[in-house]
Amino acid sequence: KFIRNNFRNGDFDIEQPQKILKEWAKRNNVLAIDLIPELSKKEETLYWRFNGHFNAKGNEEAAGIIYNELIKSKNLMISN
C-alpha cells in the first residue's frame, strides 16, 4: 500500500514537495514525473515495512509509470 502518515490532512500539504518540483521543472523546461497520483491508486504494498524505500513491486510500478510518461512525452525513443 501507499505510505500513509499519522498527520491530519490540515496539518500540512503532503504534496508540497511535488508542487515545488513541478514549478521548478516548468520554469526550467524539464520533464518532472510525479509518481504519487498513480502509486496511490495501487492496492499492493509498494514499500518496505520499516523504511520508505520501494520494494520490488514498488520499483516495478514506478518504472512502468516513468516509462509510459517518457514515451508519451516523446523524451524516450525506442529502436527496434
Side-chain angles (χ1 to χ4, degrees):
K1 294 181 180 171
F2 192 70
I3 292 178
R4 303 283 182 229
N5 60 59
N6 294 324
F7 296 99
R8 294 182 308 274
N9 289 338
D11 287 346
F12 67 96
D13 183 359
I14 196 166
E15 294 181 5
Q16 186 64 28
Q18 285 78 6
K19 291 175 183 176
I20 292 168
L21 182 59
K22 284 181 189 177
E23 182 57 36
W24 179 90
K26 184 177 179 180
R27 283 193 320 267
N28 291 281
N29 197 29
V30 174
L31 176 65
I33 301 170
D34 186 356
L35 301 175
I36 290 177
E38 289 299 316
L39 292 181
S40 63
K41 297 176 189 175
K42 305 295 180 185
E43 294 295 322
E44 304 93 344
T45 300
L46 304 176
Y47 298 87
W48 292 108
R49 184 174 180 178
F50 296 111
N51 68 42
H53 294 91
F54 288 133
N55 60 22
K57 183 64 177 171
N59 278 304
E60 181 182 325
E61 293 291 340
I65 294 166
I66 293 167
Y67 174 82
N68 290 334
E69 287 296 319
L70 289 173
I71 293 296
K72 186 169 70 175
S73 69
K74 298 185 178 22
N75 281 306
L76 179 67
M77 293 186 289
I78 307 233
S79 60
N80 295 339

